[in-house]
């Protein structure tokens, strides 16, 4: 008796289950927010920063332009809700943030003690859904256990969640991991360490290409 093979249409059950073709970039079920950089959006799954999913931004030292990278997201989310800075290495430049239309009243800065307090606060803030954007500075490379806990928290909260941490190639559960390197005044190289899709070449960004820009002093305040 000949075997009967049933072929499922690609646009049916398989896509609902989250399966994708080899070489295809994963969709973002909750949608995305444009980064403000066309070159970067072209390689980000869904064409922007994902809602309800953690983004890991790796950098060896602060002040290389990491906040300028997020200026577009901060500007676009001003009406969506509050922005929180968790354990930033320096005080945010409020004047520069105001230049994007962010009211100081919409900005929260929290400095929990490192260790258990920081872990607990980070999870609660990400999970709360009270903030449109959460910016979290982590003192060590993000291990898989903590990465999964933070990812579950932001999935419950549904906002934009970014964690800044030291460079690492150790695997963890964060779906989007980017390495940031300053390459001169007004420019940044973004290495796509991990994404749900095929490997991609580094992306060179210049602040002059951005839709929304912050003064360099913001990252060094």
């Amino acid at each position: 008796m000949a075997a009967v093979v049933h072929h499922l249409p690609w646009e049916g059950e398989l896509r609902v289950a989250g399966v994708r073709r080899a070489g295809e970039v994963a969709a973002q079920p909750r949608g995305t927010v444009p980064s403000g950089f066309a070159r970067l959006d072209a390689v980000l799954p869904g064409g922007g920063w994902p809602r309800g999913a953690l983004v890991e931004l790796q950098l060896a030292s602060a002040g290389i332009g990491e906040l300028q990278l997020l200026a577009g997201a901060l500007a676009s989310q001003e009406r969506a809700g509050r922005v929180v800075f968790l354990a930033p290495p320096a005080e945010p430049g409020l004047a520069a943030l105001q230049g994007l239309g962010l009211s100081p009243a919409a900005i929260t800065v929290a400095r929990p003690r490192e260790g258990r307090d920081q872990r607990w606060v980070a999870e609660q803030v990400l999970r709360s859904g009270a903030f449109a954007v959460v910016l979290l500075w982590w003192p060590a490379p993000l291990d898989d256990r903590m990465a999964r806990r933070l990812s579950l928290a932001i999935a419950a909260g549904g906002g934009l969640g970014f964690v800044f941490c030291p460079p690492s190639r150790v695997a963890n559960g964060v779906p989007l991991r980017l390495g940031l390197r300053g390459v001169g005044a007004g420019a940044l190289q973004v290495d796509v360490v991990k994404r749900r899709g095929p490997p991609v070449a580094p992306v060179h960004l210049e602040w002059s290409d951005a839709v929304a820009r912050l003064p360099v002093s913001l990252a060094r305040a």
Side-chain angles (χ1 to χ4, degrees):
M1 180 177 177
V4 177
V5 179
H6 297 281
H7 295 281
L8 292 177
W10 178 254
E11 297 300 333
E13 290 83 355
L14 289 181
R15 185 166 295 278
V16 173
V19 180
R20 65 178 186 274
R21 292 186 179 94
E24 184 182 44
V25 177
Q28 297 298 325
R30 296 192 182 184
T32 59
V33 174
S35 71
F37 295 93
R39 293 176 189 171
L40 182 58
D41 287 343
V43 303
L44 294 177
W49 301 120
R51 297 183 187 275
L54 195 65
V55 178
E56 180 181 317
L57 301 175
Q58 301 181 1
L59 63 164
S61 59
I64 62 171
E66 62 271 25
L67 291 186
Q68 287 91 330
L69 179 67
L70 303 181
L74 292 172
S76 68
Q77 294 302 287
E78 186 271 332
R79 294 183 181 179
R82 299 176 60 82
V83 176
V84 61
F85 291 71
L86 287 179
E91 288 300 316
L94 295 181
L97 291 171
Q98 279 186 280
L100 284 177
L102 287 169
S103 167
I107 299 169
T108 298
V109 179
R111 297 186 179 278
R113 290 177 295 181
E114 286 189 17
R116 182 178 298 178
D117 285 354
Q118 186 176 19
R119 293 191 295 270
W120 185 85
V121 170
E123 286 188 73
Q124 298 307 309
V125 168
L126 288 166
R127 189 182 302 276
S128 70
F131 298 93
V133 185
V134 178
L135 307 180
L136 168 63
W137 281 262
W138 207 253
L142 205 59
D143 62 51
D144 186 60
R145 180 172 179 271
M146 198 67 233
R148 292 184 184 279
R149 291 177 63 172
L150 296 178
S151 293
L152 288 172
I154 189 64
L160 297 180
F162 302 92
V163 56
F164 301 99
C165 62
S168 174
R169 293 301 187 267
V170 176
N172 66 31
V174 178
L176 181 59
R177 306 175 72 190
L178 305 178
L180 310 182
R181 291 189 286 166
V183 287
L188 190 72
Q189 179 171 305
V190 179
D191 299 314
V192 182
V193 178
K194 175 185 175 183
R195 68 170 186 166
R196 288 175 175 165
V200 66
V203 179
H204 181 85
L205 302 178
E206 296 185 2
W207 307 140
S208 58
D209 298 331
V211 172
R213 296 192 296 275
L214 295 175
V216 173
S217 59
L218 176 65
R220 303 181 184 276

